[in-house]
Amino acid sequence: MFRQERHVDILRILYTRGRVEVDTLAEKYQVSVDSIRKDLQHLAHMGLCKRVYGGALISEDTERVTSYLAEHHISNLEPIPSLTEALPLEPQDAHEDTDDECVEDDQTEGIRAVARRAYFEINDGDSVFLDLSRTNIEIATLLAQGNKRAIVTTNMLDVLKILANAPHITTLATGGFLNIALNGFVGSETISLLEPLLFAKAFIGAGAINLETMAVTAGDIDSGSVKEKVIHNASYTFLLANKEKFTRKMSYRFASITDFSAVITDCKDADVLMRLQQTGTPVLRA
């Protein structure tokens, strides 16, 4: 499928379902996550969608959307859903008893469980790095609400916003190239700015984890390279691994499981846990 054809198909999905997710689209079209982000940026620039963290929502300008689809001979689609009731990308299996909202709630609770376990590893006075990760947003929230004093360095805008008004947290931004799609600072400038900084603990998110090759991967080289640098600069590194990470595939390998001090996961799959333990890396159950 050519890129233009992919743009049209993505917009068709957006029109009928209201939202799309970067990871799922990358798997659907068998392209990199970075390619999908560029597709969504292109559609957003045309006013056809609204970029959000991890994906996109359909534009509220329905006339523009329908005109674009009509130009590419796409018609007779179901009415666009409300943005507040946007459906997830993948349709529900007819044999599943759990509805999509419950699945999303389960994933969110898994992320929060991992964050709670990670928060337990932070001691009063620690120098901490929180990278680009949904789980680190939850860790930042726990730090803001708690009473642990810490110095937190981050390259993620959401983390900065959450910690900005927490008087017991000293918050530092890495700076560098601001990538709006990733919602944070990435690239060579960020890596250079990180060079002299050392951290007691770093909490690293992953796009996917491959237990066959022990690869920990990200969707693109920009964010992955920053993660790699932080791992080298931290005394203790924790891999944040909610259970969905073990079923995904991404393109850029920035570390191996054995590069981490511990893996924090909510996964209860006995086979996954056994294979993690076989790496020799401690597993902290959320």
Side-chain angles (χ1 to χ4, degrees), residues 22 60 95 97 100 197 217 234 255:
V22 171
E60 294 180 354
H95 299 289
D97 294 327
D100 292 316
L197 302 180
T217 56

Side-chain angles (χ1 to χ4, degrees), residues 15-155:
Y15 183 81
T16 56
R17 300 181 183 177
R19 65 174 291 178
V20 292
E21 296 173 357
V22 171
D23 293 345
T24 312
L25 289 177
E27 184 174 350
K28 173 181 174 62
Y29 298 114
Q30 292 297 293
V31 297
S32 70
V33 170
D34 190 49
S35 293
I36 296 298
R37 287 198 180 101
K38 290 177 181 177
D39 291 341
L40 295 178
Q41 286 173 345
H42 174 77
L43 293 173
H45 182 71
M46 296 178 66
L48 298 171
C49 75
K50 177 184 177 182
R51 291 286 281 117
V52 295
Y53 184 69
L57 300 176
I58 191 66
S59 170
E60 294 180 354
D61 188 348
T62 55
E63 290 187 8
R64 183 188 295 265
V65 174
T66 53
S67 295
Y68 181 90
L69 290 171
E71 289 173 6
H72 293 84
H73 312 293
I74 304 294
S75 58
N76 298 322
L77 296 173
E78 291 294 323
I80 185 170
S82 165
L83 293 182
T84 59
E85 299 173 353
L87 300 176
L89 181 61
E90 291 297 327
Q92 180 181 337
D93 190 321
H95 299 289
E96 288 289 338
D97 294 327
T98 306
D99 62 23
D100 292 316
E101 184 176 352
C102 291
V103 171
E104 184 175 349
D105 287 346
D106 180 60
Q107 292 177 0
T108 301
E109 180 51 39
I111 290 171
R112 288 174 178 166
V114 171
R116 288 192 294 269
R117 184 62 183 83
Y119 178 74
F120 181 77
E121 296 299 321
I122 300 173
N123 296 323
D124 199 52
D126 273 347
S127 172
V128 174
F129 190 91
L130 302 180
D131 82 328
L132 300 178
S133 166
R134 288 174 59 193
T135 309
N136 277 329
I137 293 175
E138 298 296 333
I139 294 175
T141 301
L142 292 171
L143 282 167
Q145 295 172 348
N147 56 12
K148 294 180 181 179
R149 294 177 299 106
I151 301 171
V152 177
T153 303
T154 184
N155 61 329

Side-chain angles (χ1 to χ4, degrees), residues 153-165:
T153 303
T154 184
N155 61 329
M156 189 171 193
L157 294 182
D158 282 335
V159 171
L160 291 171
K161 292 176 183 177
I162 291 168
L163 296 178
N165 295 317

